[in-house]
Amino acid sequence: MSGKKFIMLFFSSVIGLVGTIALAFYILDPLFYYRDEGLIEPQYNADARYQMPGLLRNKEYETLITATSMGRNFREDYVDDTLNTESLNGSLASSYAKEQSMVAQFALQENEQLNHVIWELNFYSFAEDPEKVLDSATPFPTYMYDDSKLNDIKYLFHSYNVRLAANNVLANVSNDELRRNPEELYKFGQVAPEESIERIDGWLQRAPELQEYPENETKEVMIASFKENVIQVIEDNPDTTFTFFYAPYPVYNQHRYYLQHNRYLEERLAFKEEVFELLSQYDNAELYDFQDQKEITFDAGNYMADAVHYYEYINEYIINTIASEDPVTSKTAYDQQLENLKNQVINFNVDQLRNVGYVNRDETEEDVVSMNQ
Amino acid sequence: MLFNSYVFILGFLPVVVVLYYLLLKLDNKIYSRLVLVLASLYFYSFWNISYLPLILASVFVNYFVSILINRSVKIGYKKLFLVLGVVFNVGLLGYFKYFDFFIENTNQFFQTNWPLLEIALPLAISFFTFQQIAYIVDSYRGETGTYNFVDYSLFVTFFPQLIAGPIVHHSEMISQFKDKKNAVFKSLNFSSGLFIFSIGLAKKVLIADTFAQYANDGYGNLAALSVVDSWITTLAYTLQLYFDFSGYCDMAIGLALLFNFRIPVNFNSPYKSLNIQEFWRRWHITLGRFFTQYVYIPLGGSRKGPTRTYINLFLIFFISGFWHGAGWTFIVWGVMHGVASIIYRAWSKGKYRLPRLVALGITFLFVHVAWVYFRAPDLTTANQMVVKMFNFQALDLPPGLSAVLSSVLNMNFQATPYFFGWSTMLLVMLGYILVFFTKNSIERLEEFKPNVRSGVAVSLIFVASLLYLTRVSEFIYFNF
């Protein structure tokens, strides 16, 4: 064979093989991106960022939740019953504002029934470049959250599909019924270690004092991201109601930031103030802020031992509040809330903590008992 | 830009290849080489454009110094310009690569508080600096011709060898650039280039990146490793490093062949070596060539008696260690190889020879343990890993195997949960079967004949590699 023929054979084989693989993955659709049920019954094995676009596109829902892990434990059944709706939880752990925004925009693009978006506002999500998405071992698949068909090749020709398709086929062959129900996906904390006030005390004492304040943790950076990723979506969708909320982080989490650098509190309060002013301009936006709710944030028993995450009943509490109480309505009332938070964070000491929330964790304790058996 | 990226394979490379061969149709072939220089600078800048002036300055200064050396009549001036040139190159490398290391250690030993530069190491600086030191030394020796600036720039920046070698010599590259026989499309060279590039890509993407996961997992969970796990971790790294580096060099060779140029072989089944000297003739061959020509021989080589030979040997490995990275782990790695080379040299004077298998085993074991220092983030981790590897008193079996053996042999074998599973062990074994019992990529290139079988096989491994260019590792978002 001549060199020229070899080159032609090489390139034609490469094109043929790439095409065959892409076609095979289009038919198998391991992330259930094009259709919810095709050749194989879905088992949702993938990382949340990869699994979510298919769920957003193919499930039926009127209410979408977009959040970090603080929203991941909203159970759709509970939300449906309480808000009298049909919901989908699109929360992505450790998500940046851009990712949450893309979840919301993709859902709004794909689902005409969607009329309510519940959106968590998290300092972590906004304290970055507005375009920032996860770029790690599980990079955010931007190409799955847009309306371009051309870049679908990135999904159709991806090594992740090999593993996912194999897992799905095996699950169907062996009648494995795990991870079939989207509502059970990505929930966490059922077997989390117990929080203790002693641990919190030591953790606070070890807080490193920052010499220089991080450049990305300023109000300006956070507001820039908020305007680009949130305000734009509100304006583009005037018929959709947007309910925003600040999750009730434990007060000792906020206090630790304050110990590291006083400016954290200052910048975050300024961010909240401006966010409220911006949202006030839109009839289709409302805001709830749970961060000064002492009965939650001063009770270590409400939280897992990572000083961040609360148990599922706090998610239920948030939904109950959204269902039954008014959002923040006036600047004066909100200023008072922010003043409360400021005083709580500055004047906090561990002696103020309770540890009684665990009585609400029946489900969790049952899980722990069953695991120990 | 990495060779193993979509932007390189599907964007940069096709554009450059097409442009190069279109420009070859012009009478003046210098334009085609100029486009390769510009493409190489774009390739370099893609990583971080702020370092483009650095490589440009390095190329300009060295070319200018070589002209000064060549035009100087008096030997004193030649020597002066050579010294200035070497000081410039070593200074550049020292400033960007070693400054922070020295400051850190000075601060630690003398309790000072000098600020660090905290600058990112410019890509490829170690490679293009060495190539140019060799060039000006050869200018001093009267061994460089009247190269024009475009050819010189291409010799330094030619993108296939720019980032990770091989360290090419001006005499072997510039003559090829000028050779009119190379200024036409040669389908056989192009086919060979596709063949070896695809093999290199597969070595990097399919093999090295797979073993990298195990090595990273192991080094990241040192405390949880059993004795066997520590061996799996380090053996996986030994495989990763070989397939990664040699794969990259294979890709470089393949890319050069696409343009009808041949760059030197850098790896020749190094783990099959029977002694440490042979290892260094098979591993990173062009680095060994550089050290031999420009450090070992100028220091006197083996011409000044055994003691001086040993010192010279030690010095080149010490420098080699430091060249690989500004850290104590690299220095220890270099010292280990220096000492081993001295021991081997002394041993080789005697008449007794070890059986081949024993010699291979000892050489591999030494190289393998030395890689622990090369890989570990610090000396403490390296020492812990080595202690773990040789703590045979803690050799516990996996629970399944322990139960079977205890039952069959009616003995009580201790069991421990293993960090790695059987599939990992089997894959590592498969990796070593590839290393020890199959032909290497260069041997395969020499035997390459374009036919349907090789065409289909190469396109298959190329597509598989393309598929695995992007991997997803599950994100453990909440792992209590």
Side-chain angles (χ1 to χ4, degrees):
Chain A
M1 179 185 262
S2 71
K4 277 185 183 163
K5 280 188 177 165
F6 178 89
I7 295 165
M8 285 173 66
L9 174 68
F10 175 83
F11 285 113
S12 52
S13 300
V14 166
I15 292 167
L17 283 166
V18 170
T20 307
I21 290 170
L23 180 64
F25 283 136
Y26 178 77
I27 295 166
L28 277 171
D29 197 8
L31 285 167
F32 309 100
Y33 184 56
Y34 298 109
R35 58 199 87 83
D36 197 33
E37 285 211 31
L39 282 180
I40 43 182
E41 189 192 344
Q43 189 187 46
Y44 303 105
N45 287 310
D47 174 83
R49 282 170 167 77
Y50 288 77
Q51 198 72 73
M52 201 56 73
L55 298 173
L56 292 170
R57 172 181 273 169
N58 298 309
K59 295 294 177 190
E60 287 184 9
Y61 55 97
E62 300 165 331
T63 299
L64 170 79
I65 299 163
T66 182
T68 64
S69 56
M70 305 305 275
R72 197 49 258 171
N73 280 346
F74 286 118
R75 212 166 271 277
E76 281 92 335
D77 270 356
Y78 192 85
V79 177
D80 295 354
D81 290 345
T82 312
L83 298 180
N84 192 25
T85 185
E86 200 169 358
S87 64
L88 179 75
N89 189 341
S91 303
L92 301 172
S94 307
S95 51
Y96 296 104
K98 179 74 179 176
E99 296 174 312
Q100 294 158 16
S101 185
M102 290 192 84
V103 166
Q105 289 181 78
F106 188 67
L108 287 160
Q109 167 199 306
E110 297 293 322
N111 181 359
E112 287 179 359
Q113 307 300 315
L114 177 57
N115 55 35
H116 188 193
V117 175
I118 299 175
W119 197 327
E120 184 221 351
L121 301 178
N122 195 307
F123 308 122
Y124 164 85
S125 305
F126 290 99
E128 287 290 352
D129 183 280
E131 294 298 315
K132 171 90 175 171
V133 294
L134 190 70
D135 183 22
S136 67
T138 50
F140 185 76
T142 310
Y143 51 88
M144 295 185 79
Y145 289 84
D146 62 18
D147 56 358
S148 166
K149 299 284 177 224
L150 276 179
N151 62 15
D152 280 12
I153 189 67
K154 291 184 180 178
Y155 161 51
L156 296 172
F157 190 74
H158 198 299
S159 64
Y160 196 23
N161 290 339
V162 177
R163 196 182 344 151
L164 294 174
N167 288 346
N168 253 293
V169 170
L170 286 175
N172 279 283
V173 169
S174 61
N175 294 322
D176 178 356
E177 292 305 314
L178 288 171
R179 299 181 71 85
R180 302 273 189 204
N181 178 6
E183 179 158 328
E184 298 301 323
L185 298 175
Y186 316 117
K187 301 289 186 288
F188 64 89
Q190 285 83 357
V191 290
E194 292 288 313
E195 183 58 285
S196 75
I197 292 175
E198 291 72 32
R199 195 203 71 79
I200 295 166
D201 198 14
W203 182 67
L204 289 174
Q205 284 177 25
R206 292 192 302 277
E209 201 171 327
L210 297 180
Q211 298 302 315
E212 285 183 32
Y213 187 73
E215 288 174 4
N216 60 316
E217 296 280 354
T218 60
K219 181 198 84 170
E220 283 70 29
V221 170
M222 291 191 276
I223 284 293
S225 177
F226 181 78
K227 283 181 176 170
E228 187 171 322
N229 290 308
V230 178
I231 293 295
Q232 197 59 49
V233 183
I234 299 173
E235 284 183 354
D236 291 346
N237 297 279
D239 298 330
T240 306
T241 302
F242 291 87
T243 301
F244 296 95
F245 74 94
Y246 290 99
Y249 270 81
V251 65
Y252 42 90
N253 179 296
Q254 309 249 29
H255 183 67
R256 193 172 195 262
Y257 277 107
Y258 179 72
L259 291 176
Q260 287 181 287
H261 206 297
N262 294 355
R263 224 180 121 188
Y264 272 109
L265 183 62
E266 185 187 318
E267 297 287 346
R268 289 173 172 192
L269 290 172
F271 170 71
K272 283 180 164 217
E273 200 176 339
E274 190 161 341
V275 163
F276 175 73
E277 283 167 12
L278 286 167
L279 291 180
S280 303
Q281 297 166 22
Y282 300 95
D283 292 338
N284 60 332
E286 57 186 20
L287 175 69
Y288 289 83
D289 191 339
F290 297 91
Q291 297 197 329
D292 67 326
Q293 299 214 353
K294 281 188 81 170
E295 62 276 20
I296 300 174
T297 61
F298 278 69
D299 187 344
N302 288 330
Y303 297 93
M304 303 171 199
D306 62 351
V308 174
H309 296 98
Y310 37 72
Y311 287 94
E312 204 173 302
Y313 60 86
I314 301 294
N315 293 83
E316 293 176 1
Y317 172 83
I318 291 169
I319 291 298
N320 290 342
T321 307
I322 290 172
S324 59
E325 292 182 22
D326 289 335
V328 183
T329 47
S330 75
K331 173 97 171 64
T332 319
Y334 196 51
D335 284 346
Q336 186 56 54
Q337 267 193 273
L338 296 185
E339 188 62 24
N340 289 345
L341 177 64
K342 183 179 175 183
N343 290 332
Q344 288 169 9
V345 173
I346 292 174
N347 300 321
F348 171 77
N349 69 71
V350 285
D351 296 335
Q352 296 171 293
L353 287 177
R354 301 182 305 278
N355 196 354
V356 296
Y358 63 87
V359 295
N360 298 308
R361 295 198 313 256
D362 299 343
E363 209 174 296
T364 306
E365 292 193 343
E366 278 169 20
D367 285 342
V368 172
V369 170
S370 65
M371 275 201 59
N372 290 339
Q373 286 170 346
Chain B
M1 205 183 313
L2 295 171
F3 297 161
N4 53 313
S5 64
Y6 290 123
V7 66
F8 178 82
I9 295 170
L10 303 178
F12 176 85
L13 185 60
V15 170
V16 176
V17 167
V18 169
L19 268 179
Y20 176 74
Y21 282 108
L22 281 177
L23 289 171
L24 271 185
K25 294 191 181 302
L26 299 176
D27 289 339
N28 192 344
K29 308 301 179 196
I30 199 80
Y31 295 115
S32 57
R33 301 198 302 264
L34 182 62
V35 88
L36 282 187
V37 173
L38 295 174
S40 299
L41 292 174
Y42 176 80
F43 173 83
Y44 187 78
S45 311
F46 196 83
W47 166 68
N48 186 346
I49 198 161
S50 62
Y51 285 121
L52 179 62
L54 178 75
I55 191 169
L56 285 175
S58 174
V59 170
F60 276 116
V61 169
N62 279 292
Y63 186 68
F64 184 63
V65 166
S66 78
I67 289 175
L68 289 177
I69 293 171
N70 282 329
R71 290 189 181 170
S72 298
V73 181
K74 290 183 179 174
I75 191 75
Y77 283 123
K78 278 182 185 286
K79 198 171 271 183
L80 174 68
F81 293 131
L82 171 67
V83 169
L84 286 175
V86 171
V87 166
F88 168 76
N89 283 299
V90 173
L92 211 61
L93 199 57
Y95 180 76
F96 283 100
K97 190 167 180 176
Y98 300 107
F99 190 84
D100 276 1
F101 175 74
F102 280 115
I103 294 295
E104 259 176 15
N105 283 284
T106 306
N107 284 345
Q108 195 175 342
F109 287 120
F110 300 105
Q111 301 297 307
T112 51
N113 197 22
W114 291 353
L116 301 176
L117 284 179
E118 290 182 343
I119 47 173
L121 180 66
L123 197 67
I125 190 170
S126 307
F127 288 94
F128 67 69
T129 303
F130 268 27
Q131 281 183 201
Q132 295 185 103
I133 288 175
Y135 181 75
I136 57 170
V137 169
D138 285 355
S139 295
Y140 175 76
R141 290 170 177 169
E143 293 170 4
T144 57
T146 50
Y147 305 137
N148 65 46
F149 184 67
V150 171
D151 286 336
Y152 176 76
S153 304
L154 185 56
F155 147 67
V156 179
T157 64
F158 188 38
F159 69 88
Q161 48 83 32
L162 176 61
I163 295 183
I167 299 172
V168 295
H169 195 263
H170 59 91
S171 63
E172 67 198 353
M173 294 310 296
I174 297 183
S175 56
Q176 291 189 68
F177 298 154
K178 289 180 163 177
D179 190 344
K180 286 183 179 164
K181 280 184 281 183
N182 289 333
V184 287
F185 180 78
K186 290 184 180 171
S187 60
L188 196 59
N189 277 351
F190 204 90
S191 307
S192 303
L194 291 175
F195 174 80
I196 191 74
F197 179 82
S198 302
I199 291 182
L201 186 66
K203 282 166 77 173
K204 161 72 184 146
V205 175
L206 299 179
I207 305 177
D209 288 355
T210 300
F211 289 119
Q213 292 175 352
Y214 306 138
N216 293 342
D217 280 354
Y219 274 98
N221 294 279
L222 189 55
L225 304 183
S226 66
V227 177
V228 176
D229 288 323
S230 66
W231 279 94
I232 293 172
T233 301
T234 52
L235 285 168
Y237 179 69
T238 296
L239 286 173
Q240 177 203 339
L241 191 61
Y242 169 63
F243 282 110
D244 191 294
F245 198 4
S246 69
Y248 216 82
C249 289
D250 289 344
M251 285 190 267
I253 289 169
L255 291 168
L257 274 172
L258 298 182
F259 301 96
N260 283 326
F261 302 131
R262 289 179 186 276
I263 55 178
V265 170
N266 220 16
F267 287 87
N268 181 19
S269 298
Y271 294 151
K272 291 176 183 168
S273 305
L274 300 182
N275 58 64
I276 198 67
Q277 188 182 52
E278 186 186 351
F279 174 80
W280 279 106
R281 287 181 183 147
R282 289 168 171 264
W283 178 278
H284 206 166
I285 297 165
T286 56
L287 180 70
R289 182 178 72 173
F290 174 87
F291 277 119
T292 306
Q293 287 182 5
Y294 298 98
V295 183
Y296 183 69
I297 291 173
L299 284 172
S302 56
R303 301 185 308 275
K304 296 189 176 178
T307 308
R308 188 64 188 272
T309 304
Y310 294 148
I311 291 170
N312 291 344
L313 265 177
F314 182 82
L315 274 176
I316 61 166
F317 283 105
F318 178 80
I319 298 168
S320 171
F322 203 38
W323 178 83
H324 277 88
W328 286 106
T329 50
F330 292 106
I331 292 173
V332 169
W333 172 79
V335 166
M336 287 172 80
H337 274 276
V339 171
S341 297
I342 290 169
I343 292 170
Y344 172 71
R345 192 161 185 104
W347 162 271
S348 64
K349 303 269 183 221
K351 289 182 179 168
Y352 184 71
R353 293 287 174 267
L354 291 170
R356 286 177 65 86
L357 206 58
V358 176
L360 185 138
I362 290 173
T363 307
F364 177 78
L365 187 65
F366 167 76
V367 168
H368 174 67
V369 173
W371 285 143
V372 174
Y373 287 85
F374 196 85
R375 165 62 178 80
D378 50 63
L379 286 177
T380 310
T381 308
N383 291 335
Q384 284 173 348
M385 183 64 89
V386 172
V387 166
K388 196 155 250 192
M389 286 164 71
F390 292 96
N391 185 14
F392 293 121
Q393 286 179 326
L395 180 60
D396 295 333
L397 299 174
L401 186 62
S402 161
V404 170
L405 286 178
S406 298
S407 163
V408 171
L409 301 174
N410 200 22
M411 293 168 72
N412 186 21
F413 286 93
Q414 294 295 310
T416 187
Y418 271 36
F419 188 79
F420 292 110
W422 284 105
S423 57
T424 312
M425 294 186 201
L426 285 173
L427 270 177
V428 170
M429 278 171 61
L430 196 64
Y432 281 99
I433 289 171
L434 275 177
V435 164
F436 286 112
F437 299 106
T438 62
K439 288 177 186 166
N440 67 41
S441 45
I442 300 302
E443 289 164 336
R444 289 179 190 279
L445 178 64
E446 284 163 2
E447 292 174 2
F448 168 71
K449 284 190 179 64
N451 54 40
V452 174
R453 196 175 148 211
S454 59
V456 172
V458 169
S459 51
L460 266 174
I461 61 165
F462 179 77
V463 170
S465 307
L466 271 190
L467 184 64
Y468 277 85
L469 277 185
T470 47
R471 293 187 188 219
V472 168
S473 300
E474 298 287 349
F475 176 49
I476 303 169
Y477 58 92
F478 202 74
N479 188 15
F480 272 111

